Amino acid sequence: MAFRIAWSVFYAVGLVMVAGAAQRPSDTAQSSGSKIVLIGTGTPAPTPDRSGPATAIVVNDTAYLIDFGPGVVRRASDAAASRGIAALQPTRLRLAFATHLHSDHTVGYADLIFTPWTIGRRVPLEVYGPPGLKAMTEHLIEAYRVDIETRTNDEGNQRTFPDGYKVNAHEIKAGVVYTDKNVTVTAFPTKHAMESYGYRFDTPDRSIVFSGDTNPTQATVDACRGCDVLIHEVHTSAWLAARPEAGGAPPGTFRRFSEKYHTTTEQLAALATQAKPRLLILYHYSSLSPEELQADMMKHYSGHFVIGRDLDVY
Ligand SMILES: [Zn+2]
Ligand SMILES: [Zn+2]
């Protein structure tokens, strides 16, 4: 498989590594085949070095975004420049898949709609996601009505390419939701606080599964089943115990929510032991530090895993 050849040229750039022989991120675009670019690995917390949840798969010079948290366009632009991945230039962002409509995963939507347009994207966005996506899209476009009118009137800078802010929003159900010559994208239901989906991308060289935000589910195990890469959310129980409630909410509010709708290291280890990904990437993690998360995960899981960091390329 080209996948194995591609991995052989990867090398370390200081990422937290485990299990010696584990795959390592590349800091360039020299490897052949599909690439996974961690655009943002953060959570709702506005951590300066971890942008909002967003990931890109790049296949044959085409980028597919999964989620669009805050900072998505600037981080993609950074990846295009610093990693040499031209498909992530902002004007070339035109395909995206939302796992769910929580704000931390979608606050960058207006950015994704308007910023690439202002600098030259001429074609509408194609966005796939759960029911509610169309309404969110319509409301955002309405919210920027003054901007759109100003940019497309007789003296507007975007008047010669007035379609670049438009969005074709596709509301999905479980199953194959998208296919082209590079990828087949299959959505599967996850267990979160609203209708939510994970995605499996089958590219010419790899199978890549995204959990989105979720409690452990059999559907995630089934979507992977020996997949090449599983990218899964996680937090540590220690972080959960130490976390103060936001806004003075009653004690235990977030812990109870998290027990229903998120995944701990112990749970992820059990899930990955069943799902058997060749590589497990932890993202959207809440922990006291990446080092703490690594140490905690190592207690429970003996397979290959890495702690995802913004702008890592796999
Ligand atoms: Zn969420
Ligand atoms: Zn989230």
Side-chain angles (χ1 to χ4, degrees), residues 42-44 53 100 102 104-105 192 213 233 262 284:
T43 64
H100 66 300
H102 258 151
D104 53 318
H105 297 250
H192 199 47
D213 286 10
E233 70 127 278
H262 288 293
H284 196 276

Side-chain angles (χ1 to χ4, degrees), residues 118-129:
T118 63
I119 60 170
R121 187 181 60 212
R122 307 180 75 91
V123 299
L125 267 176
E126 303 290 335
V127 184
Y128 297 77

Side-chain angles (χ1 to χ4, degrees), residues 90-91 93-95 112-127 137 141 145 147-149 151-153 156-169:
T91 54
L93 301 175
R94 60 178 199 83
L95 283 160
L112 185 61
I113 293 171
F114 293 104
T115 306
W117 177 44
T118 63
I119 60 170
R121 187 181 60 212
R122 307 180 75 91
V123 299
L125 267 176
E126 303 290 335
V127 184
T137 306
I141 287 175
R145 182 58 51 197
D147 175 87
I148 293 165
E149 287 174 0
R151 293 182 185 282
T152 55
N153 68 20
N157 293 320
Q158 284 72 32
R159 65 185 183 279
T160 59
F161 48 102
D163 294 332
Y165 76 89
K166 292 178 181 170
V167 182
N168 294 317

Side-chain angles (χ1 to χ4, degrees), residues 34 57 59 64 176 178-186 199-209 223-224 227-228:
S34 60
I57 293 180
V59 187
Y64 305 82
V176 174
Y178 178 88
T179 185
D180 66 15
K181 67 182 184 351
N182 295 322
V183 296
T184 296
V185 185
T186 307
Y199 292 105
R200 174 176 166 125
F201 280 67
D202 286 285
T203 76
D205 63 334
R206 286 197 288 179
S207 51
I208 303 161
V209 175
C224 177
C227 61
D228 291 311

Side-chain angles (χ1 to χ4, degrees), residues 101 109 129-140 168-171:
L101 301 183
Y109 198 10
L133 179 70
K134 284 186 178 177
M136 177 181 275
T137 306
E138 288 164 8
H139 288 308
L140 278 173
N168 294 317
H170 308 268
E171 294 185 343

Side-chain angles (χ1 to χ4, degrees), residues 1-2 16 25 32 44 48 52 62 74 83 90 101 105 119 124 151 167 172 186 188 237 260 273 280 294 302:
M1 293 282 285
V16 175
S32 60
T62 299
R74 276 162 172 73
R83 303 297 191 259
L101 301 183
H105 297 250
I119 60 170
R151 293 182 185 282
V167 182
I172 63 163
T186 307
F188 57 92
S237 298
K260 284 176 78 173
T273 299
L280 172 64
Q294 181 198 12
S302 58

